[in-house]
Amino acid sequence: MFDFTLLWKAPEINPINRKARSIPVLNPINIYGRVINFAWFGFFVAFWSWYAFPPLLTLTIAKDIGASTTDVLNSNIVALLATLLVRFIAGPACDRFGPRYTFAACLLAGAIPTVLAGAVFNPSGLIALRFFVGILGGSFVPCQVWSTGFFDKNIVGTANAFTGGWGNAGGGITYFLMPAIFDSLITTRGLSAHAAWRVAFIVPFIVICAVAITMLLVCPDTPTGKWSERHLHAQQNLADHGIQGNVVDVPGEFAERTSSAGGIDDPEKKLEFEATGKVSATGDNEAQMGEQQMLDVARGEIVQKPTFKEAMKVVFSLPSLTLASCYFCSFGAELAINSILGSYYAANFKYLGQTGSGRWAAMFGLLNIVARPAGGIISDFLYRKTHSLWVKKIFIHSLGLITGIFLIIIGFLNSKQPNTMFGLVAGMAIFLEAGNGANFSLVPHVHPHANGIVSGLTGGIGNFGGIIFSIIFRYNGTSYGKSIWIIGIMTLIINLAVSWIRPIPKGQIGGR
């Protein structure tokens, strides 16, 4: 039975890494509750502004600046290019400077082009501006790295799924907010359509700046304080047990670590400790581990400053590439479909108009509030029951295969019946978005000493999937159904192709 008091009472803390073992999301006074709320809301406002153009683009903005359908589709592709670059940079930046500063930097850098939307008067200007607004999409990486740093292995999948899911819901809310702000400026302020859509972009600019500045003022880098001192608590904990050794190599290099001899001899107890942070036997949990093993586990839990050589080992390991491939399909499809869904509905159901089609398209993004967290929660539940990371991985592929089947059905049917279309899209969205949550439930287990790199790689390749799928939409024009079933087939093939790969590297210490 779930203990609902965990939603607001101070969480139990892992004594080695100071990570919380529950999520006090209703308690913003507690630092763990404060961080998870700023993590999801920061990404929420970023996603809102990142996708603020599509709800107004097809009819209002395109007409005002003389943009063709091709110009609109090109701008959708370009909007993902900057995000791709920023996500690859944000991963190592999180490992070196910490996720909080990286997060705030992404928000503030993306807020500037947002407020400059009013300066767009032609298709070229639209494409250029949407490129720079795409910086906001890079905030996903520090969002996930930040929550990973505050929540322990028993609950980190759920934490990441909540921050990612509620943040992604900004892509749904924008279909409500932007038309509502636009309509309000016309009806209550008397602005023309030409002026109203430009003024509307000032609203997300103000909110983004407020969130970024407040995040810097009231939230910590890590559970133990400053990012530069993140290793000190674990190192002191080791010293209290008479163990000497650096948790972080100060010059800034890390290497893949393998399990050391000694420590907990019973495999059952070892699995129990790594999965739950507790062992059934009485006594001090840490003292039951051998000295070298305890040092290795502490090192495995502390993010290291990356060098290029070591980062490449992480990037090109098969488990990392598997996560990236699955996210290429799931998040890539979400980004591309979110960009065209309003236009797709407007084409198939002309009576809905801009506002009506936008409201139905919003359902796709809003389902993230439930579906993505559900993916992480179920993944964590399966892991706690089995202590097997293979179960987490199989769950990801299962969701991917079901999503692919839904996409193929939607594409081939191309239904003109609203109930059928909306029902199929909702079903597809549930499995697709749950797949995103399940994916980032496994991410913290893979190379945990390089979590920023793995998160950046996975998020970046997911964004690359969005670019590839947007290009498919671009070259199929208004044949939206054809593009969707092509994406479905690609999703099936890719998930099956990587399903055989181990969930984590053989011999990896930490992360289990």
Side-chain angles (χ1 to χ4, degrees):
M1 185 69 178
F2 178 72
D3 183 1
F4 285 96
T5 63
L6 294 176
L7 295 175
W8 60 81
K9 74 178 184 181
E12 178 186 349
I13 305 301
N14 182 318
I16 297 178
N17 54 28
R18 304 300 298 170
K19 292 183 180 182
R21 303 188 59 76
S22 62
I23 304 174
V25 68
L26 300 181
N27 184 358
I29 304 302
N30 182 272
I31 64 166
Y32 299 94
R34 198 181 318 144
V35 165
I36 197 168
N37 278 293
F38 269 94
W40 79 259
F41 192 67
F43 185 48
F44 175 91
V45 297
F47 215 115
W48 163 26
S49 184
W50 184 22
Y51 272 79
F53 276 95
L56 304 176
L57 188 54
T58 304
L59 298 179
T60 301
I61 298 176
K63 181 180 178 181
D64 186 50
I65 66 174
S68 65
T69 300
T70 300
D71 292 326
V72 170
L73 293 172
N74 284 339
S75 76
N76 289 340
I77 296 170
V78 168
L80 301 176
L81 287 175
T83 304
L84 174 67
L85 298 175
V86 172
R87 287 191 177 193
F88 283 133
I89 296 169
C94 285
D95 290 344
R96 184 166 292 277
F97 305 110
R100 182 175 62 118
Y101 282 109
T102 305
F103 201 164
C106 288
L107 292 176
L108 294 173
I112 296 171
T114 296
V115 79
L116 293 176
V120 172
F121 291 95
N122 55 55
S124 298
L126 172 69
I127 291 171
L129 187 83
R130 291 199 71 189
F131 174 83
F132 290 104
V133 171
I135 293 171
L136 289 167
S139 63
F140 171 75
V141 174
C143 164
Q144 296 292 279
V145 175
W146 204 19
S147 64
T148 295
F150 274 79
F151 297 95
D152 211 16
K153 289 293 183 288
N154 70 309
I155 201 72
V156 69
T158 302
N160 282 352
F162 269 109
T163 54
W166 291 358
N168 273 20
I173 287 291
T174 193
Y175 275 97
F176 282 112
L177 286 179
M178 296 310 291
I181 295 169
F182 171 77
D183 292 342
S184 175
L185 290 170
I186 290 176
T187 57
T188 64
R189 298 294 179 181
L191 299 182
S192 65
H194 171 80
W197 77 261
R198 301 168 191 279
V199 175
F201 281 86
I202 296 176
V203 178
F205 165 78
I206 294 172
V207 177
I208 290 170
C209 290
V211 171
I213 294 170
T214 307
M215 177 189 299
L216 291 173
L217 293 176
V218 305
C219 294
D221 291 321
T222 73
T224 56
K226 294 181 180 179
W227 181 254
S228 59
E229 300 172 357
R230 64 196 182 280
H231 61 291
L232 293 181
H233 177 86
Q235 201 153 292
Q236 181 61 47
N237 191 54
L238 294 172
D240 290 342
H241 290 81
I243 302 171
Q244 300 299 319
N246 288 328
V247 175
V248 173
D249 298 322
V250 176
E253 184 170 331
F254 59 74
E256 190 65 60
R257 301 178 176 86
T258 56
S259 181
S260 303
I264 300 174
D265 295 322
D266 186 344
E268 296 289 333
K269 290 188 180 296
K270 182 177 178 181
L271 279 174
E272 182 183 357
F273 179 82
E274 291 175 333
T276 68
K278 299 178 181 179
V279 187
S280 299
T282 57
D284 185 71
N285 287 336
E286 297 139 299
Q288 295 181 43
M289 304 173 71
E291 292 187 2
Q292 184 59 47
Q293 185 182 10
M294 190 172 178
L295 180 60
D296 285 346
V297 169
R299 283 176 170 169
E301 289 293 330
I302 302 297
V303 173
Q304 310 287 296
K305 293 181 180 180
T307 64
F308 181 79
K309 179 180 177 181
E310 296 294 344
M312 289 303 99
K313 290 181 181 179
V314 173
V315 167
F316 289 105
S317 73
L318 288 178
S320 297
L321 293 175
T322 299
L323 290 169
S325 298
C326 293
Y327 208 59
F328 173 96
C329 298
S330 59
F331 192 63
E334 179 178 351
L335 291 177
I337 292 171
N338 202 48
S339 293
I340 61 89
L341 197 56
S343 301
Y344 188 20
Y345 287 165
N348 279 22
F349 314 110
K350 296 185 185 300
Y351 64 89
L352 289 176
Q354 176 176 273
T355 302
S357 61
R359 286 173 178 170
W360 279 107
M363 175 186 67
F364 180 72
L366 288 174
L367 281 170
N368 270 297
I369 295 173
V370 176
R372 184 157 181 158
I377 291 169
I378 295 171
S379 181
D380 277 352
F381 173 79
L382 293 173
Y383 177 57
R384 286 195 295 270
K385 290 296 182 182
T386 63
H387 302 307
S388 171
L389 291 175
W390 269 108
V391 174
K392 279 195 171 190
K393 188 170 185 295
I394 291 169
F395 182 53
I396 293 171
H397 295 310
S398 299
L399 293 170
L401 294 175
I402 296 171
T403 298
I405 292 170
F406 263 105
L407 288 168
I408 292 170
I409 294 172
I410 292 169
F412 275 113
L413 280 182
N414 193 29
S415 179
K416 301 298 191 297
Q417 298 296 321
N419 291 342
T420 302
M421 174 64 83
F422 299 151
L424 285 171
V425 170
M428 177 271 292
I430 288 170
F431 288 99
L432 180 146
E433 292 161 7
N436 290 334
N439 195 302
F440 268 84
S441 174
L442 182 57
V443 164
H445 297 275
V446 180
H447 303 293
H449 61 283
N451 181 253
I453 293 175
V454 178
S455 296
L457 172 71
T458 306
I461 294 299
N463 205 83
F464 181 61
I467 294 172
I468 297 300
F469 295 152
S470 292
I471 291 173
I472 293 173
F473 281 114
R474 159 69 175 79
Y475 283 100
N476 283 293
T478 55
S479 299
Y480 299 115
K482 180 180 178 181
S483 298
I484 289 173
W485 67 252
I486 291 173
I487 295 171
I489 291 174
M490 291 177 65
T491 298
L492 290 178
I493 292 173
I494 292 173
N495 271 275
L496 290 172
V498 299
S499 60
W500 60 274
I501 297 172
R502 295 174 59 91
I504 62 173
K506 187 175 182 179
Q508 173 185 287
I509 191 68
R512 288 181 174 83

